[in-house]
Coordinates of all heavy atoms in Angstrom, one line a residue:
Y1 N -71.3 -14.5 33.7 CA -70.1 -14.0 34.3 C -69.0 -15.0 34.5 O -67.8 -14.7 34.3 CB -70.4 -13.4 35.7 CG -71.3 -12.2 35.6 CD1 -72.4 -12.1 36.5 CD2 -71.1 -11.2 34.6 CE1 -73.3 -11.0 36.3 CE2 -72.0 -10.2 34.5 CZ -73.1 -10.0 35.4 OH -73.9 -9.0 35.2
K2 N -69.4 -16.3 34.7 CA -68.4 -17.3 34.8 C -67.7 -17.5 33.5 O -66.5 -17.7 33.4 CB -69.1 -18.7 35.2 CG -69.5 -18.7 36.6 CD -70.5 -19.8 37.0 CE -70.4 -21.1 36.4 NZ -71.3 -22.1 37.0
E3 N -68.4 -17.4 32.4 CA -67.8 -17.5 31.0 C -67.0 -16.3 30.7 O -65.9 -16.4 30.1 CB -68.9 -17.7 30.0 CG -69.5 -19.1 30.0 CD -68.5 -20.2 29.9 OE1 -67.6 -20.2 29.1 OE2 -68.6 -21.1 30.8
I4 N -67.4 -15.1 31.1 CA -66.6 -13.9 30.8 C -65.3 -14.0 31.5 O -64.2 -13.7 30.9 CB -67.4 -12.6 31.3 CG1 -68.6 -12.4 30.4 CG2 -66.5 -11.4 31.3 CD1 -69.5 -11.3 30.9
I5 N -65.2 -14.5 32.8 CA -64.0 -14.5 33.5 C -63.0 -15.5 32.8 O -61.8 -15.2 32.7 CB -64.2 -15.0 34.9 CG1 -65.0 -13.9 35.7 CG2 -62.9 -15.4 35.6 CD1 -65.5 -14.4 37.1
R6 N -63.5 -16.5 32.2 CA -62.6 -17.5 31.5 C -62.3 -17.2 30.1 O -61.6 -17.9 29.4 CB -63.2 -18.9 31.6 CG -63.3 -19.4 33.0 CD -64.1 -20.7 33.1 NE -63.6 -21.7 32.2 CZ -62.6 -22.5 32.4 NH1 -62.0 -22.5 33.6 NH2 -62.2 -23.4 31.5
T7 N -62.7 -16.0 29.6 CA -62.4 -15.7 28.2 C -61.0 -15.1 28.0 O -60.4 -14.6 29.0 CB -63.4 -14.6 27.7 OG1 -63.3 -13.5 28.5 CG2 -64.8 -15.1 27.6
P8 N -60.5 -15.2 26.8 CA -59.2 -14.6 26.5 C -59.2 -13.1 26.8 O -58.1 -12.5 27.1 CB -58.9 -14.9 25.0 CG -59.7 -16.1 24.8 CD -60.9 -16.0 25.6
F9 N -60.3 -12.4 26.7 CA -60.4 -11.0 26.9 C -59.9 -10.7 28.4 O -59.1 -9.7 28.5 CB -61.9 -10.5 26.8 CG -62.1 -9.1 27.1 CD1 -61.7 -8.1 26.1 CD2 -62.6 -8.7 28.3 CE1 -61.9 -6.8 26.4 CE2 -62.8 -7.3 28.5 CZ -62.5 -6.4 27.6
I10 N -60.4 -11.4 29.3 CA -59.9 -11.2 30.7 C -58.5 -11.8 30.9 O -57.7 -11.2 31.5 CB -60.9 -11.9 31.7 CG1 -62.3 -11.2 31.6 CG2 -60.4 -11.8 33.1 CD1 -62.4 -9.7 32.0
M11 N -58.3 -13.1 30.5 CA -57.1 -13.8 30.7 C -55.9 -13.1 30.1 O -54.8 -13.0 30.7 CB -57.2 -15.2 30.3 CG -58.2 -16.0 31.0 SD -57.9 -16.0 32.8 CE -59.2 -17.0 33.4
D12 N -56.1 -12.5 28.9 CA -55.0 -11.8 28.2 C -54.6 -10.6 29.0 O -53.4 -10.2 29.1 CB -55.4 -11.4 26.8 CG -55.4 -12.6 25.8 OD1 -54.9 -13.6 26.2 OD2 -56.0 -12.5 24.7
K13 N -55.6 -9.9 29.6 CA -55.3 -8.7 30.4 C -54.5 -9.1 31.7 O -53.7 -8.3 32.1 CB -56.6 -7.9 30.7 CG -57.1 -7.1 29.5 CD -58.0 -6.1 30.0 CE -58.2 -5.0 29.0 NZ -58.9 -5.0 27.8
V14 N -54.9 -10.2 32.3 CA -54.2 -10.7 33.5 C -52.8 -10.9 33.2 O -51.9 -10.5 33.9 CB -54.9 -12.0 34.0 CG1 -54.1 -12.6 35.2 CG2 -56.3 -11.7 34.5
V15 N -52.5 -11.6 32.0 CA -51.1 -11.9 31.6 C -50.4 -10.6 31.3 O -49.2 -10.4 31.8 CB -51.1 -12.8 30.4 CG1 -49.7 -13.0 29.8 CG2 -51.7 -14.2 30.8
Q16 N -51.0 -9.7 30.7 CA -50.4 -8.4 30.3 C -50.1 -7.6 31.5 O -49.0 -7.0 31.6 CB -51.3 -7.6 29.4 CG -50.8 -6.3 28.9 CD -51.9 -5.5 28.1 OE1 -53.0 -6.0 27.9 NE2 -51.5 -4.4 27.6
L17 N -50.9 -7.5 32.5 CA -50.7 -6.7 33.7 C -49.9 -7.4 34.7 O -49.4 -6.7 35.7 CB -52.1 -6.3 34.3 CG -53.0 -5.4 33.5 CD1 -54.4 -5.3 34.1 CD2 -52.4 -4.1 33.3
N18 N -49.7 -8.7 34.6 CA -48.9 -9.4 35.6 C -47.8 -10.3 35.0 O -47.9 -11.5 35.0 CB -49.8 -10.3 36.4 CG -50.9 -9.5 37.2 OD1 -50.6 -9.0 38.2 ND2 -52.1 -9.4 36.6
P19 N -46.8 -9.7 34.3 CA -45.8 -10.5 33.7 C -45.0 -11.3 34.6 O -44.4 -12.3 34.2 CB -44.9 -9.4 33.0 CG -45.2 -8.2 33.7 CD -46.6 -8.2 34.2
N20 N -44.9 -11.0 35.9 CA -44.2 -11.7 36.9 C -44.8 -13.1 37.1 O -44.1 -14.0 37.7 CB -44.2 -11.0 38.2 CG -45.6 -10.7 38.8 OD1 -46.5 -10.3 38.0 ND2 -45.7 -10.8 40.1
L21 N -46.0 -13.3 36.7 CA -46.6 -14.7 36.9 C -46.0 -15.7 35.9 O -46.1 -16.9 36.2 CB -48.2 -14.6 36.7 CG -49.0 -13.8 37.7 CD1 -50.4 -13.7 37.3 CD2 -48.8 -14.4 39.1
E22 N -45.5 -15.2 34.8 CA -44.9 -16.0 33.8 C -45.8 -17.2 33.3 O -45.4 -18.4 33.4 CB -43.5 -16.6 34.3 CG -42.5 -15.4 34.6 CD -41.3 -16.0 35.2 OE1 -41.2 -17.2 35.6 OE2 -40.3 -15.1 35.3
V23 N -47.0 -16.8 33.0 CA -48.0 -17.8 32.5 C -48.6 -17.3 31.2 O -48.6 -16.1 30.9 CB -49.1 -18.1 33.5 CG1 -48.5 -18.8 34.7 CG2 -49.8 -16.9 33.9
S24 N -49.2 -18.2 30.4 CA -50.0 -17.8 29.3 C -51.5 -17.7 29.6 O -51.9 -18.3 30.6 CB -49.8 -18.8 28.1 OG -50.3 -20.0 28.5
S25 N -52.2 -17.1 28.8 CA -53.7 -17.0 29.0 C -54.3 -18.4 28.8 O -55.3 -18.7 29.5 CB -54.4 -16.0 28.1 OG -54.1 -16.3 26.7
D26 N -53.8 -19.2 28.0 CA -54.3 -20.6 27.8 C -54.1 -21.4 29.1 O -55.0 -22.1 29.5 CB -53.6 -21.3 26.7 CG -54.0 -20.8 25.3 OD1 -55.1 -20.2 25.2 OD2 -53.2 -20.9 24.3

């Protein structure tokens, strides 16, 4: 689960759903 959370699969969705954060998945 730790690895899943840090994958682009999760991080890309965070970026996509929260454009106000103004960050990249990297």
